[in-house]
């Protein structure tokens, strides 16, 4: 879906769960342009005023600390997992959303536990033979625009303003 469709996705979640009971789990690292989508989105969600966000630029949630960071989330919270992914050329710049968990780091072959009650995967670049290299060289502008689109759609969907 596109960024307009994201608003509907977040509105559906907001109809069932208040922002106070939702934790955004924004997965990624600031050491790779493509994978920085998570921390960029997390930082923007905080700017919009969301109360519970894990994974920001100053404190990323990455492969090294994912399990420990998930353990910080209160068990009664609903988790919306956000991560970057690689996809087919026709999907570049779009989003896959689901009412199911997300499997982080699949595109680079790392085995991490599935996370989230809801998931959003942003197709930041095209899948190819060298996924790690592709994420390293993904255009930063695309990632920044997509992070802002996600955060703005979440804010609109939950009725939260900056």
């Amino acid at each position: 879906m596109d960024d307009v469709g994201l608003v509907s996705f977040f509105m559906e979640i907001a109809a069932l769960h208040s922002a106070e009971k939702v934790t955004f789990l924004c997965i990624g690292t600031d050491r790779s342009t493509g994978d920085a989508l998570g921390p960029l989105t997390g930082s923007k969600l905080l700017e919009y005023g969301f109360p519970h966000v894990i994974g920001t630029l100053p404190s990323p949630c990455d492969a090294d600390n994912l399990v420990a960071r998930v353990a910080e989330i209160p068990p009664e919270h609903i988790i919306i997992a956000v991560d970057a992914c690689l996809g087919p050329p026709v999907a570049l710049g779009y989003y896959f959303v689901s009412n199911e968990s997300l499997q982080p780091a699949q595109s680079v072959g790392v085995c991490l536990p599935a996370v989230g009650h809801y998931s959003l995967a942003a197709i930041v670049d095209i899948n190819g033979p060298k996924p790690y290299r592709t994420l390293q060289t993904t255009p930063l502008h695309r990632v920044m625009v997509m992070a802002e689109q996600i955060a703005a759609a979440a804010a609109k969907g939950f009725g939260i303003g900056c």
Side-chain angles (χ1 to χ4, degrees):
M1 77 176 42
D2 62 10
D3 60 312
V4 175
L6 287 180
V7 176
S8 296
F9 173 68
F10 287 118
M11 286 176 79
E12 289 174 18
I13 298 170
L16 300 172
H17 312 284
S18 71
E20 291 76 26
K21 291 292 183 184
V22 169
T23 295
F24 284 89
L25 181 65
C26 301
I27 303 162
T29 178
D30 61 343
R31 296 176 185 219
S32 164
T33 35
D35 208 27
L37 177 103
L40 282 165
T41 302
S43 292
K44 290 182 177 298
L45 288 166
L46 284 178
E47 289 173 13
Y48 275 101
F50 282 94
H52 306 288
V53 178
I54 292 179
T56 61
L57 286 171
S59 182
C61 177
D62 58 24
D64 294 333
N65 66 15
L66 176 70
V67 173
R69 300 299 300 274
V70 170
E72 298 171 13
I73 301 171
E76 68 275 8
H77 274 219
I78 298 300
I79 301 169
I80 302 174
V82 177
D83 199 5
C85 74
L86 302 175
V90 297
L92 182 62
Y94 287 92
Y95 306 92
F96 292 129
V97 298
S98 177
N99 295 343
E100 297 178 3
S101 60
L102 180 140
Q103 187 69 51
Q106 273 190 316
S107 63
V108 291
V110 176
C111 186
L112 292 171
V115 292
H117 298 93
Y118 299 92
S119 59
L120 187 158
I123 300 93
V124 297
D125 217 328
I126 298 167
N127 199 8
K130 297 181 180 180
Y132 183 77
R133 172 105 170 102
T134 301
L135 283 172
Q136 293 289 330
T137 59
T138 296
L140 181 58
H141 181 260
R142 179 183 309 134
V143 175
M144 291 178 71
V145 166
M146 293 181 81
E148 176 57 34
Q149 288 175 339
I150 295 167
K156 191 168 185 180
F158 277 90
I160 292 179
C162 199

